[in-house]
């Protein structure tokens, strides 16, 4: 018979977002309706980089963990909340404190990708004897990691596209625009920009600005692109020689500072301007961007 034991983990920081060097402070509340025998109550701070198994990253010969893919440990810290013993029916509270600090591997920012993920969790485990299943409670925490200063500055990316010929019927068009915070972008700040269609022999139907991520595991030749923001900045009867402003916001946790690890795992980003014409032909320009988290002053 499975005992209905409830475990709840709370944190002094309600949004559960931390930085490297912070001390994670919280409380575990355990409620049991009857006598609970246990072999110890343990708390773990764990961090993983996980490569998911799916159609994009197919590596069926690799060992599989509970995440359905290949994992690499970033951090694993352990503390004991209670030694082996018995708990009478009732509610118990256990306070904990653990510091988030680098061990052998650099900690990476929390990132929820399609194929690659970086996540951190608090795992509370009530150990039982061999004939009973351990009771486990997981709670995700989020880590923000400032980028290493490498001399780059936030830049303005200016580009002009003119006189491009596309599929039949061939025609000419010209588009120009500015993208503020282009080349290197702070993940906390939106990308602002403006576009102008100067002329086109075929009517422009729509203009989209797309934020695209490229997840790659080069060791196995696997790469997958996915669009995480698709912003239609104009549609219909578009006027020539008029600037169209736009703003792209980085979704929290779906975008993290550009990731590149020695294990050949990388996550990169690009900004794509896609133009669709009335005859259903399209053309696009892709601008690689590097996403950073600028250290707070």
């Amino acid at each position: 018979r499975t005992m209905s034991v409830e475990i709840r983990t709370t944190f002094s920081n309600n949004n559960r977002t931390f930085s490297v060097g912070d001390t994670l402070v919280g409380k575990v509340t355990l409620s049991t309706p009857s006598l609970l025998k246990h072999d110890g109550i343990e708390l773990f701070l764990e961090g993983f980089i996980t490569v998911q198994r799916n159609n994009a990253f197919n590596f069926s010969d690799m060992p599989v963990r509970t995440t359905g893919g290949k994992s690499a440990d970033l951090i694993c810290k352990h503390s004991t909340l209670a030694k082996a013993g018995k708990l009478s029916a009732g509610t118990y509270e256990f306070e904990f404190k653990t510091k988030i600090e680098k061990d052998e591997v650099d900690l990476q920012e929390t990132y929820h990708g399609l194929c690659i993920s970086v996540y951190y969790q608090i795992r509370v485990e009530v150990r039982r004897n061999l004939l009973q299943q351990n009771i486990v409670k997981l709670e995700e925490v989020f880590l923000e990691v400032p980028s290493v200063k490498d001399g780059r500055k936030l830049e303005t990316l200016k580009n002009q596209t003119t006189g491009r010929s596309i599929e039949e019927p061939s025609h000419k068009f010209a588009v120009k625009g500015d993208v503020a915070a282009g080349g290197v972008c702070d993940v906390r700040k939106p990308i602002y920009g403006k576009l102008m269609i100067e002329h086109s022999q075929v009517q422009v139907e729509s203009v989209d600005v797309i934020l695209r991520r490229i997840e790659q595991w080069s060791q196995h030749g696997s790469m997958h692109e996915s669009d995480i923001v698709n912003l239609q900045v104009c549609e219909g009867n578009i006027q020539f020689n008029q600037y169209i402003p736009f703003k792209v916001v980085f979704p929290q946790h779906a975008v993290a500072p550009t990731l590149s690890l020695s294990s050949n795992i990388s996550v990169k980003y690009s900004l794509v301007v896609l133009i669709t014409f009335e005859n259903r032909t399209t053309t696009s320009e892709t601008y690689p961007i590097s996403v950073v988290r600028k250290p707070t002053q």
Side-chain angles (χ1 to χ4, degrees):
R1 186 169 62 89
T2 302
M3 186 179 297
S4 178
V5 176
E6 293 184 2
I7 299 175
R8 186 164 62 95
T9 307
T10 55
F11 304 90
S12 58
N13 184 346
N14 291 330
N15 65 11
R16 295 178 288 148
T17 300
F18 303 90
S19 298
V20 179
D22 286 352
T23 297
L24 200 158
V25 179
K27 179 172 62 179
V28 174
T29 303
L30 184 151
S31 299
T32 176
S34 58
L35 181 68
L36 173 64
K37 297 180 181 179
H38 63 88
D39 292 336
I41 303 174
E42 314 288 340
L43 181 138
F44 300 85
L45 168 61
E46 301 170 319
F48 306 96
I49 296 178
T50 305
V51 182
Q52 301 286 349
R53 169 183 287 152
N54 57 30
N55 292 334
F57 281 13
N58 184 15
F59 47 95
S60 57
D61 58 329
M62 299 300 297
V64 178
R65 294 185 57 158
T66 56
T67 51
K70 179 71 174 176
S71 295
D73 293 343
L74 290 171
I75 187 173
C76 184
K77 299 188 69 176
H78 161 264
S79 58
T80 300
L81 300 180
K83 295 181 179 180
K86 300 177 182 180
L87 296 177
S88 302
T91 299
Y92 300 84
E93 294 183 346
F94 305 93
E95 295 183 350
F96 65 87
K97 183 185 296 186
T98 183
K99 190 172 183 179
I100 304 172
E101 53 190 349
K102 170 187 171 182
D103 189 7
E104 296 181 358
V105 181
D106 289 333
L107 299 180
Q108 306 293 329
E109 180 150 333
T110 296
Y111 167 72
H112 296 165
L114 186 64
C115 302
I116 297 170
S117 295
V118 179
Y119 69 96
Y120 299 85
Q121 66 184 22
I122 288 291
R123 175 165 60 92
V124 178
E125 186 165 355
V126 180
R127 298 190 182 277
R128 313 295 301 280
N129 61 40
L130 294 177
L131 300 179
Q132 295 176 300
Q133 188 175 4
N134 291 349
I135 303 169
V136 177
K137 174 68 174 179
L138 304 176
E139 195 75 45
E140 185 175 13
V141 295
F142 307 98
L143 192 63
E144 294 181 347
V145 182
S147 302
V148 177
K149 293 182 179 180
D150 58 6
R152 295 180 301 179
K153 296 180 180 179
L154 300 185
E155 301 169 351
T156 298
L157 180 64
K158 294 187 177 182
N159 185 77
Q160 181 169 326
T161 304
T162 58
R164 176 184 297 275
S165 296
I166 58 173
E167 301 291 334
E168 291 295 335
S170 179
H171 70 272
K172 302 290 186 179
F173 71 95
V175 177
K176 71 176 182 180
D178 296 337
V179 182
V184 179
C185 307
D186 189 339
V187 70
R188 293 171 298 184
K189 297 180 179 179
I191 298 176
Y192 292 96
K194 57 183 180 179
L195 293 169
M196 176 193 291
I197 300 172
E198 295 183 302
H199 62 81
S200 176
Q201 292 177 346
V202 175
Q203 179 64 41
V204 175
E205 183 175 275
S206 65
V207 178
D208 296 84
V209 175
I210 301 167
L211 179 62
R212 181 169 293 164
R213 64 184 171 200
I214 304 96
E215 300 174 301
Q216 187 169 13
W217 194 15
S218 57
Q219 182 179 353
H220 290 266
S222 301
M223 185 182 76
H224 188 264
E225 294 184 355
S226 55
D227 297 343
I228 48 181
V229 174
N230 194 324
L231 177 67
Q232 187 174 75
V233 296
C234 59
E235 181 184 20
N237 187 21
I238 298 169
Q239 299 298 313
F240 297 152
N241 296 310
Q242 290 187 7
Y243 273 115
I244 306 164
F246 65 85
K247 172 184 174 182
V248 177
V249 178
F250 292 115
Q252 189 176 24
H253 307 315
V255 175
T258 301
L259 176 67
S260 182
L261 300 175
S262 58
S263 56
N264 298 311
I265 294 174
S266 67
V267 180
K268 300 177 182 178
Y269 305 93
S270 61
L271 197 67
V272 181
V273 178
L274 173 66
I275 301 172
T276 302
F277 297 94
E278 194 175 46
N279 61 5
R280 308 310 299 168
T281 56
T282 62
T283 187
S284 63
E285 287 283 349
T286 300
Y287 307 101
I289 59 175
S290 183
V291 179
V292 301
R293 178 174 294 280
K294 204 172 180 182
T296 55
Q297 301 298 327

